[in-house]
Amino acid sequence: MKRAIAFAALFGLIGLAATLWLLGENISSLGRIPFSAIAIGVGLLLLNYLAATVRLKMLVGMANHDLSLVACLRAYALGLFTSAVTPGSAGQAPAVVLSLTRDGMPASRAWSVNVYVWVLDLVLLAYSVPISLLLVGRSLPVLRIDRPELLALGVAAATAALIWVLLFRLHWLTTLLKALFRLRWLKRWQPSVVDFTQRLEAATLELRGGSLATRASLHALTAVIYFSTMVTFWVMVDAVNPGAKLFQTMATAQIPTVLAAFFPTPGGAGILEILTASLMRASTARDVAAAILGWRLITFYSRLVIGPALGAARVGMQRPGAEPRHAEG
């Protein structure tokens, strides 16, 4: 774990150095974020954790289980921490499942909650990423997108297709998983995998049964979770460049955030800073390196502190006398 944190910090420092070079700034510019902007950023971070905790508790309830807000906060914090120290944020979902199961939730239901979280996140990306592409593609020639509307339409269509598979054709994915465990060196685990996938599909069906008001609340909370991070970037940029455009600045942050998930550095560390600096380089903003650093310290590197404090200490620990409160299935 310490090595993973060290790698994330190392890539972050490399990204910061590249950011300064791309923007033609020096290290003295990094201290120009006023305290008021930092305070607002921390407030938005707290809002992010609160919205995510409430969303997770709602989903756990829809999966016919009951966990406290503290347990849901712990699961979210642990997920963010492992996201920050694993390539492509691959460790986030397993860490959330681990935390939920440590609190007595059946594994299949914990995974079904994650499937629904993916759906909610994809719905948000399906409408927000195309808008960001239109805003950035038309205003920043560095991207050199001749027809940003076509790219935006393609992204929306691909995301909608993935949402449809997760909601209505999840058995396609579980069938592939079961086929994988028919291989000779994995066959010993096939019965348990078949049982698990059946329970996962059943639990996911239960989650789809929420009321319209519940689903609307989940989508609203998802928007708060995502956009609080993007608004934090705008707060940092506006602090050093008063009058920064809200939606364009948020779009400039969102596109690198999405792209960084496909790179092998822990949590996209370093890559995200470089991508954001590359987009901001085409603007006339000054002291942007300080804004990027302030944004990343609050929204990303804080996970390396908050996660261990709230969640990571639970890894490998079993609560004395803990028993599942609901039978599997």
Side-chain angles (χ1 to χ4, degrees), residues 201-270:
E201 291 180 32
T204 303
L205 284 173
E206 292 176 358
L207 278 168
R208 285 167 47 190
S211 67
L212 181 61
T214 297
R215 292 197 296 270
S217 298
L218 290 170
H219 286 294
L221 288 168
T222 302
V224 172
I225 294 166
Y226 269 85
F227 294 141
S228 61
T229 299
M230 305 306 143
V231 172
T232 300
F233 182 60
W234 172 78
V235 169
M236 298 296 114
V237 174
D238 188 68
V240 292
N241 291 274
K245 295 180 179 179
L246 174 62
F247 295 116
Q248 183 175 321
T249 304
M250 290 173 62
T252 303
Q254 186 183 36
I255 292 175
T257 299
V258 173
L259 291 176
F262 298 96
F263 287 86
T265 61

Side-chain angles (χ1 to χ4, degrees), residues 3-301:
R3 181 177 297 179
I5 294 174
F7 271 117
L10 174 62
F11 281 113
L13 289 173
I14 294 173
L16 177 60
T19 296
L20 290 170
W21 177 76
L22 283 168
L23 298 172
E25 299 180 24
N26 56 57
I27 199 168
S28 65
S29 68
L30 298 180
R32 296 177 182 173
I33 298 293
F35 177 77
S36 58
I38 298 295
I40 294 173
V42 171
L44 288 168
L45 179 69
L46 294 176
L47 178 63
N48 175 286
Y49 275 81
L50 175 61
T53 299
V54 173
R55 183 181 72 167
L56 194 55
K57 182 170 176 58
M58 289 178 65
L59 290 173
V60 167
M62 290 169 64
N64 291 325
H65 204 75
D66 183 34
L67 290 178
S68 67
L69 282 172
V70 172
C72 293
L73 172 61
R74 183 165 52 228
Y76 179 65
L78 179 57
L80 288 186
F81 170 70
T82 53
S83 170
V85 297
T86 54
S89 303
Q92 183 168 8
V96 172
V97 170
L98 172 64
S99 186
L100 294 177
T101 55
R102 290 292 185 189
D103 279 303
M105 189 173 190
S108 60
R109 293 178 182 271
W111 274 109
S112 71
V113 167
N114 266 299
V115 170
Y116 207 99
V117 167
W118 293 335
V119 170
L120 291 169
D121 293 349
L122 286 169
V123 169
L124 182 136
L125 295 176
Y127 68 79
S128 62
V129 170
I131 293 173
S132 293
L133 286 170
L134 290 174
L135 287 171
V136 176
R138 288 174 174 171
S139 61
L140 297 180
V142 69
L143 287 182
R144 298 179 182 176
I145 300 176
D146 295 328
R147 298 293 299 276
E149 63 275 7
L150 294 181
L151 178 59
L153 183 62
V155 170
T159 308
L162 185 54
I163 292 168
W164 180 76
V165 169
L166 289 173
L167 279 177
F168 304 108
R169 292 295 184 270
L170 183 63
H171 65 274
W172 288 356
L173 300 180
T174 57
T175 298
L176 287 175
L177 183 62
K178 287 184 282 189
L180 176 65
F181 277 84
R182 291 194 189 103
L183 296 174
R184 184 172 59 185
W185 57 89
L186 296 175
K187 202 166 185 177
R188 57 186 293 191
W189 293 290
Q190 185 184 16
S192 59
V193 168
V194 170
D195 179 67
F196 172 79
T197 54
Q198 289 173 345
R199 294 180 186 277
L200 173 62
E201 291 180 32
T204 303
L205 284 173
E206 292 176 358
L207 278 168
R208 285 167 47 190
S211 67
L212 181 61
T214 297
R215 292 197 296 270
S217 298
L218 290 170
H219 286 294
L221 288 168
T222 302
V224 172
I225 294 166
Y226 269 85
F227 294 141
S228 61
T229 299
M230 305 306 143
V231 172
T232 300
F233 182 60
W234 172 78
V235 169
M236 298 296 114
V237 174
D238 188 68
V240 292
N241 291 274
K245 295 180 179 179
L246 174 62
F247 295 116
Q248 183 175 321
T249 304
M250 290 173 62
T252 303
Q254 186 183 36
I255 292 175
T257 299
V258 173
L259 291 176
F262 298 96
F263 287 86
T265 61
I271 296 295
L272 197 152
E273 288 88 344
I274 293 171
L275 291 174
T276 306
S278 298
L279 292 181
M280 293 299 294
R281 187 180 181 185
S283 70
T284 57
R286 299 179 59 188
D287 298 328
V288 176
I292 294 174
L293 176 62
W295 172 52
R296 291 290 281 166
L297 284 175
I298 291 172
T299 62
F300 179 78
Y301 293 101

Side-chain angles (χ1 to χ4, degrees), residues 317-329:
M317 294 174 60
Q318 178 65 49
R319 190 174 53 183
E323 295 288 341
R325 279 172 275 182
H326 293 267
E328 179 72 70

